Amino acid sequence: MEHALILGVILFTAGLMTVITKRNAIMVLIGIELMLNAANLNLIVFNQNSPGLSGRFFALFVIVVAVCEAAVGLAIVLRVYKYYQTSEPDQINELKD
Amino acid sequence: MSLLTLYVFECLAGVAALSILFVRNVFHAALLLIVCLISLAGVFVIYNAEFIAVTQILVYAGGVLVLIIFGIMLSSRLAGKPLQVKSQYVLPASLIGIFSATSLIQLFYKQQFFQQPVAKAGNPITQTGIALMSDFVLPFEVVGLLLLIALLGAAVTASSFYTKKQ
Amino acid sequence: MPNPSTLENLLALVLILPLLSAVVSFVIPQRYSWVASITSSIFLVACAIVSFVLFFSDGNVFINAHWFSISTTELNFSLVLDSSSRLMIIVVSVVSLLVHVYSTGYMAYDPKLTRYFGMLGFFTFSMLGIVLSNQLILTFMFWELMGFSSYLLIGHWMEKPAAAKAAHKAFLFNRIGDAFMLVGILIIFVHQSIPIDSFWLTTGVLCIFCGIIGKSAQLPLSFWLPDAMEGPTPVSALLHAATMVAAGVFLLIRISSLLTETALIVIAITGISTAVFGALCALNQFDIKKILAYSTISQLGLMITAIGLGAKDAALLHLFTHAFFKAGLFLASGSVIHALSHQTTDQNKVDIQDIRNLGGLRKKLPITFIVFCITAASLSGIPLFSGFLSKDSILTAAWTLPNPSAQWIFSLLIALVSFITVLYSYRMIRFVFFGKESTLTIHEAPSVMRVPMIICAIASCWFIVSFNPIHVSGWFYTMFAEAETNFVAAGLSTVTVFIALIVATLLYSKQASAKSITFFQNGFGVDSFYQKTIGPAVLALASGATKTDKKVLDGILHFVAYAHVSFAHGIAWFDQYIIDGVVDTSGRVVKWIGSITRSFQAGKIQLYIFWAVTGLIIFLFFALI
C-alpha cells in the first residue's frame, strides 16, 4: 500500500467537498483542480509499477485538459459575473423552470 | 532521505488541500492551491516523473494560477468588497466526504495491485520525448489542438467585444 | 197540471229568480238606482207567481245533482218540494214580494238603494235555499249565506254606529250558534252512513238546535234581535219577523224525525222560557220596534215549544200565520215611522220610535191604524183572526199531553204568554193611536206602502187558514192532518184573551200610565251581564292567547330557529375546518412532496453534484460489499 494513494484520497475528498460547499465559482474551480491533481497523483503512482509510460502521458494530458478547463471555466465565470452580478453558482438557476 | 522528503511533500500537499476547505478568502485559497500543486510536483519528482513535475510547475503555477488570480481580481472588482466565501451544505458534504474517503481507502486496501516497482532503463526525459513523437503523437496533437481551441474560446467568452456590440 | 219535469224546472226557477234580482240590482249603476227597485219587484212578482204554481201542484218534487264527493261519500245538490216547503215558499216569496214593494216607497231616495235591493234578493234566494234544501250540508251553506245577507241588511245604515254595532252583534251571536250547528250537522252526517246510538243522536240534534237558538233568537242568544231593529223597518219585517228567524223553526221541523225524548224536553223548556221572557220584556219596552222584536222572540218561543211538545204542524201553522201578522205589524209601524220621519228634521231629536212621544195618530193615519189593529188582534189571538187558530193548536198540543203535571204547566204558561201578548198589543195601540193628538202635520204613506200592509192585514184573518173561524178545517187541515183543535183549549184561550182585554183596558185607560219595570225593559239584564262578564272574559282569553302566542309559541319558534342557526354554524365550522382541512392538508402534503421532488431540480448546481456523488457512493458501497 502506497501512502501516496491516501494523499490522493485526501486531495480528492478535499476537492469534492470544496466543490459542494463553497459558494463561489472560483472556489469550485479550485476544487476541480484539486480533484484533477488527485487523479494525476494516482496515475503517476500506478505508473511506477507498470513497464510503459502511458500513465505519465495521461497525467500530462490531464494537466493540459485541466488548463483548458481552467481557462474556459474562468472565462465563463467572468462572463456570468458580469451578467448576473454574482459568482454564486446556486443563484444562477435560470434554466430551472 | 528520499522517503523523508516524500513525507514532507505529501504532508504539505494534504495540509494545504484540507486548508482550502477552511479558508474564507478566495485569494488565500488560490495561494494554498499553489502550495499544494508545488508540493505535488515534488512528489512527482520522487516518483521519477520529472517531466510531469516540471510541466506541473510551469502550467499550474505559471498559467492556471495566474488565470485564477486574474479571475479573483476581476470578480472582486465588480463586487466592490473583499471576497468572503461562505459555505453551504456543510453537513451533507462532510458526510459525503467521509463516506467517499473511507470507501476509497477500503477499496485500495482490499486490492492487491502493487508488485515491486519496474526499473525503467535510460533517460526518462529522452524516453518521454521519443514516446511523444512516436507512440503518443496523435494524443499529443489532439491535446494541442484542444488547448488552442480552449484558449480561443476562453478569450472570446471573456471578451466584452460581442456584448458591447449587442 | 204541469208534468214533473216542468215542476223541476219551476223549482229551480223559483230559486234562481231572486238571485237574478240580486245580480241585476248590483249591476245597475248608482245613478239609476231607482231602476233596481222596479226590476227587483218584477223579479219577485215572477217568483211569487212560480211559487203559487208550485203550491198548487201535486206530489213531492225532487232535484238531485251531483255536487262533490268525499272518498266514497257522495254529496248531492238536492232540493225537495214537499208539503212543508210548499207552505214555506209561499210565505217567503209573498212576504218578500210585499217587502220589496213596500221598500220601493219606504227606501226611496236612499243612497245605497242598489245594494239594499241586491241584498234583499240575495236574502230571498238563500232563504228559499234553506226551505227547499233536502240536505243538511246544503242547508248549512244557505244558512250561512242568509247570515251574511242579514249582517249586511242590519248594517245597511252603517254610518250609524248603533246599526254597525247591531250588525256585528247579530253576526257574532249567530256565529256562536252556527259553530255548534256545524258540529251537529257533521254528527248527523256520520249518522246517515253509520247508525249511532241515541246519546250521539241527542248530542248532534242539540248541537243543531244551538244553531237554531242563535238564528231564531232563543233564550241564551236572543239579544241580538232587539238590537237588529236598527236596520230598515222592511228588513225587520222580512228578516226578523217573517222569514229568517222562522228558518230555525222550519229547520227544527225538518229534523223533527231525528228528535229524541231528551232533545224534545230541552227544546220545549227552552221554547217556553223564551216565550215567557219575550212577552215580559215586550210589555216593558217603549221603542215600538223593540216591542215587536221581543214579541217576535216570544212567538218564536211558542213555535219551538210546540215542536218540543211534538206538535210540529201546530208550529208550522203558527209560523205561517205569524209571518203575515208580524210582517203586517212591522210594515204598519214602518208606516208610522215613515210618516213621522219627515218631522224629525223640524223638531230637535225626538225619538219617533218611542211610543210615549206618539199619540192620537188614529185620525191621521186611518189605514195604518186599521192594519195595525187587525194584525195586533191576530197577534193577540182574538177569535176570527188567524193567530187565534194557530195559538189554539199549540195550546191544544199542550193540553193533550199525556203527563198531567207537564200538561198543566205548559198549558198555563202558554196561556200566560197569550195573556201578556194581549196586554202589550193593547198598550201599543193605546199609546200610538189614541191619547192626545199631536199637532204635527202627518200624511198617510204612499200606495206602494199601503197595499202590502193591507194584504198582510187580509192574510191575518181567519179565512186564509180555515173557513171555520174557531177550528182549523180548511186546506191546512187537508195538508197537515195532525193540526187539530181541542174545544177546551179553544175555550180556555178565548176566555184568557177576553180577560186580558178587560185587564188591559183597566190598566191603560188612563193617559200617563207609561211606566215600565227597568229590569224587564233591559231584557232581564242578561245582555249587560254578557257584556260585563263574557266580553271581558273573552278579551282576557284573547290577550292570554296573544301572550301565549308571543311568549311560548314564538319562543319555541325562536328557539328552534336559533338551534338551527347554531347547528348550521357548527356544520359550517365542521365544513371549514374538518372537511376543508382534510382537503387542504392532502393538498399541502402533495405540495410538500412536490416541493421536495422539485428541490432536486432547483437549478442549484452544487446540489446536483452532491446528489450525483451520493449516488456514486451508493454504487461504490454496493460494489465493495
Side-chain angles (χ1 to χ4, degrees):
Chain A
M1 172 65 201
E2 290 278 339
H3 39 78
L5 290 180
I6 295 178
L7 177 62
V9 167
I10 289 169
L11 286 182
F12 181 79
T13 308
L16 179 63
M17 285 171 73
T18 308
V19 164
I20 293 174
T21 52
K22 295 298 177 187
R23 295 174 67 176
N24 187 301
I26 294 169
M27 287 296 269
V28 171
L29 280 177
I30 290 171
I32 289 168
E33 296 297 335
L34 276 177
M35 285 156 81
L36 285 170
N37 272 293
N40 263 0
L41 183 58
N42 279 10
L43 284 171
I44 299 291
V45 169
F46 285 122
N47 192 54
Q48 191 78 357
N49 300 332
S50 73
L53 292 168
S54 33
R56 289 178 189 174
F57 283 113
F58 261 101
L60 192 61
F61 296 144
V62 165
I63 287 170
V64 174
V65 169
V67 168
C68 296
E69 177 262 328
V72 173
L74 276 166
I76 290 172
V77 165
L78 289 179
R79 194 102 190 105
V80 163
Y81 196 83
K82 268 186 199 163
Y83 191 75
Y84 289 104
Q85 295 294 310
T86 182
S87 57
E88 283 189 32
D90 273 6
Q91 290 189 1
I92 304 154
N93 50 7
E94 283 240 315
L95 293 173
K96 182 174 72 173
D97 293 323
Chain B
M1 178 60 202
S2 166
L3 197 63
L4 183 66
T5 322
L6 178 64
Y7 281 139
V8 169
F9 279 128
E10 279 180 354
C11 285
L12 208 57
V15 168
L18 287 173
S19 304
I20 290 173
L21 281 174
F22 299 103
V23 294
R24 289 270 174 113
N25 198 320
V26 188
F27 189 68
H28 293 171
L31 292 181
L32 281 169
L33 181 67
I34 285 283
V35 171
C36 180
L37 294 178
I38 291 173
S39 306
L40 272 179
V43 172
F44 292 165
V45 169
I46 290 164
Y47 277 100
N48 299 322
E50 294 87 355
F51 184 71
I52 305 297
V54 171
T55 316
Q56 172 99 350
I57 290 167
L58 275 174
V59 171
Y60 271 114
V64 173
L65 206 77
V66 169
L67 274 175
I68 286 174
I69 287 167
F70 263 105
I72 290 164
M73 284 162 68
L74 287 171
S75 59
S76 74
R77 182 178 63 84
L78 286 168
K81 60 184 179 183
L83 266 173
Q84 293 293 318
V85 177
K86 286 172 188 166
S87 297
Q88 59 181 3
Y89 314 128
V90 177
L91 191 63
S94 317
L95 283 172
I96 286 287
I98 289 163
F99 267 104
S100 62
T102 49
S103 54
L104 281 173
I105 288 169
Q106 204 184 359
L107 186 72
F108 291 149
Y109 269 107
K110 272 173 131 182
Q111 301 295 5
Q112 286 296 324
F113 40 59
F114 288 109
Q115 290 87 34
Q116 64 252 43
V118 175
K120 307 257 188 323
N123 188 354
I125 307 284
T126 318
Q127 284 175 354
T128 308
I130 290 167
L132 264 181
M133 286 301 141
S134 57
D135 292 346
F136 292 98
V137 69
L138 183 63
F140 182 71
E141 292 298 330
V142 168
V143 162
L145 194 61
L146 175 69
L147 191 59
L148 178 65
I149 293 167
L151 289 175
L152 277 174
V156 167
T157 311
S159 80
S160 54
F161 179 70
Y162 292 99
T163 323
K164 278 182 181 166
K165 242 184 135 183
Q166 286 165 354
Chain C
M1 191 71 8
N3 59 33
S5 68
T6 320
L7 281 179
E8 282 177 15
N9 291 338
L10 287 175
L11 193 61
L13 192 66
V14 84
L15 197 56
I16 287 165
L17 277 171
L19 189 62
L20 268 178
S21 156
V23 170
V24 167
S25 301
F26 276 122
V27 164
I28 286 169
Q30 199 69 43
R31 283 175 61 196
Y32 305 105
S33 56
W34 55 272
V35 179
S37 57
I38 294 167
T39 51
S40 54
S41 299
I42 291 166
F43 274 116
L44 260 294
V45 167
C47 180
I49 290 167
V50 175
S51 313
F52 271 106
V53 171
L54 286 171
F55 181 75
F56 290 112
S57 65
D58 284 333
N60 291 350
V61 183
F62 294 96
I63 289 182
N64 268 312
H66 181 250
W67 190 14
F68 64 90
S69 49
I70 305 165
S71 73
T72 53
T73 312
E74 269 198 14
L75 282 175
N76 286 328
F77 190 94
S78 61
L79 303 178
V80 67
L81 183 70
D82 58 6
S83 51
S84 49
S85 56
R86 271 198 178 88
L87 189 68
M88 280 308 286
I89 58 168
I90 285 294
V91 172
V92 173
S93 58
V94 169
V95 176
S96 183
L97 168 65
L98 295 179
V99 167
H100 270 77
V101 173
Y102 185 86
S103 298
T104 311
Y106 190 84
M107 298 297 286
Y109 312 115
D110 189 276
K112 286 175 288 185
L113 201 60
T114 53
R115 199 182 91 131
Y116 175 79
F117 276 104
M119 285 328 292
L120 269 189
F122 191 72
F123 168 80
T124 313
F125 159 72
S126 37
M127 183 69 205
L128 283 171
I130 291 175
V131 167
L132 293 173
S133 159
N134 195 21
Q135 209 235 21
L136 273 176
I137 290 177
L138 189 63
T139 307
F140 185 72
M141 197 185 84
F142 281 117
W143 187 272
E144 292 300 318
L145 288 179
M146 190 172 73
F148 164 68
S149 50
S150 155
Y151 168 75
L152 286 182
L153 283 171
I154 294 170
H156 181 69
W157 291 319
M158 53 193 146
E159 59 275 2
K160 260 167 60 182
K165 218 173 166 182
H168 283 148
K169 193 172 179 180
F171 201 69
L172 287 176
F173 269 72
N174 278 314
R175 284 278 69 66
I176 297 168
D178 292 351
F180 282 104
M181 186 175 179
L182 186 58
V183 174
I185 282 176
L186 292 178
I187 291 172
I188 299 301
F189 188 70
V190 170
H191 172 64
Q192 285 176 349
S193 47
I194 312 159
I196 52 177
D197 58 12
S198 79
F199 169 73
W200 281 106
L201 193 60
T202 311
T203 313
V205 168
L206 285 180
C207 280
I208 295 179
F209 183 59
C210 284
I212 290 161
I213 283 174
K215 194 63 86 184
S216 290
Q218 293 305 293
L219 199 46
L221 301 176
S222 34
F223 300 96
W224 64 271
L225 189 59
D227 288 8
M229 294 302 135
E230 290 293 339
T233 310
V235 170
S236 305
L238 180 60
L239 272 68
H240 307 128
T243 54
M244 188 182 88
V245 289
V249 178
F250 178 76
L251 184 64
L252 204 54
I253 292 166
R254 265 288 157 87
I255 63 166
S256 58
S257 60
L258 297 170
L259 296 177
T260 55
E261 280 293 322
T262 325
L264 282 174
I265 292 165
V266 171
I267 290 166
I269 290 168
T270 310
I272 195 68
S273 47
T274 309
V276 175
F277 157 81
L280 283 173
C281 289
L283 190 58
N284 291 285
Q285 296 297 316
F286 290 115
D287 189 311
I288 184 167
K289 283 182 75 181
K290 282 197 175 167
I291 294 171
L292 293 174
Y294 277 111
S295 156
T296 308
I297 291 172
S298 168
Q299 300 303 313
L300 288 167
L302 277 185
M303 296 176 211
I304 300 282
T305 312
I307 294 167
L309 299 179
K312 65 189 173 79
D313 298 311
L316 195 61
L317 179 60
H318 195 56
L319 171 57
F320 177 78
T321 56
H322 174 261
F324 285 102
F325 65 66
K326 190 54 69 66
L329 275 171
F330 266 109
L331 294 183
S333 65
S335 164
V336 172
I337 293 163
H338 184 72
L340 286 165
S341 63
H342 299 292
Q343 298 298 325
T344 50
T345 50
D346 304 334
Q347 298 183 348
N348 286 330
K349 289 289 175 187
V350 172
D351 186 0
I352 49 163
Q353 297 191 10
D354 193 330
I355 53 172
R356 286 169 297 187
N357 296 335
L358 304 172
L361 296 176
R362 184 183 66 230
K363 299 268 173 58
K364 294 187 172 154
L365 300 171
I367 295 169
T368 309
F369 171 64
I370 293 163
V371 168
F372 208 97
C373 282
I374 293 171
T375 49
S378 184
L379 170 67
S380 312
I382 292 170
L384 293 179
F385 296 102
S386 62
F388 171 77
L389 294 167
S390 54
K391 266 190 190 169
D392 209 29
S393 45
I394 293 172
L395 197 56
T396 311
W399 187 250
T400 53
L401 278 177
N403 187 335
S405 57
Q407 173 190 5
W408 277 104
I409 289 167
F410 277 103
S411 303
L412 284 178
L413 283 175
I414 290 167
L416 176 69
V417 170
S418 318
F419 185 81
I420 300 169
T421 307
V422 176
L423 287 188
Y424 64 70
S425 305
Y426 185 86
R427 176 169 172 265
M428 201 155 48
I429 292 167
R430 167 74 184 73
F431 274 102
V432 175
F433 294 100
F434 291 92
K436 76 166 183 353
E437 288 185 27
S438 63
T439 54
L440 307 170
T441 51
I442 309 168
H443 56 85
E444 184 67 285
S447 59
V448 282
M449 286 167 66
R450 269 179 296 185
V451 171
M453 282 156 59
I454 292 164
I455 292 173
C456 280
I458 294 166
S460 303
C461 293
W462 84 96
F463 51 82
I464 294 295
V465 181
S466 164
F467 298 116
N468 185 341
I470 57 163
H471 189 259
V472 182
S473 61
W475 55 268
F476 199 88
Y477 185 75
T478 52
M479 268 174 88
F480 306 97
E482 286 177 43
E484 287 179 26
T485 306
N486 187 299
F487 283 103
V488 181
L492 180 66
S493 77
T494 314
V495 170
T496 312
V497 164
F498 281 110
I499 291 170
L501 269 177
I502 294 159
V503 171
T505 319
L506 290 173
L507 263 178
Y508 299 112
S509 58
K510 282 169 190 163
Q511 174 65 30
S513 57
K515 285 178 195 165
S516 79
I517 302 160
T518 322
F519 179 66
F520 290 139
Q521 192 187 357
N522 295 337
F524 288 29
V526 179
D527 197 23
S528 55
F529 172 74
Y530 283 171
Q531 284 183 0
K532 274 178 194 155
T533 56
I534 293 176
V538 169
L539 284 180
L541 190 69
S543 68
T546 313
K547 273 180 192 158
T548 312
D549 190 46
K550 270 190 183 163
K551 298 267 165 69
V552 180
L553 292 180
D554 285 12
I556 290 170
L557 268 179
H558 286 164
F559 175 75
V560 170
Y562 281 129
H564 268 104
V565 168
S566 25
F567 183 65
H569 276 303
I571 285 181
W573 182 87
F574 184 80
D575 192 50
Q576 198 173 351
Y577 290 97
I578 306 295
I579 293 178
D580 284 13
V582 168
V583 173
D584 286 356
T585 307
S586 59
R588 280 196 205 105
V589 166
V590 170
K591 199 178 169 186
W592 179 63
I593 293 170
S595 71
I596 286 174
T597 322
R598 197 163 155 269
S599 70
F600 295 120
Q601 304 289 329
K604 299 188 172 171
I605 303 155
Q606 286 163 311
L607 211 57
Y608 290 177
I609 296 166
F610 167 73
W611 285 115
V613 174
T614 309
L616 251 173
I617 286 169
I618 289 166
F619 284 135
L620 207 61
F621 189 71
F622 278 108
L624 288 175
I625 292 170

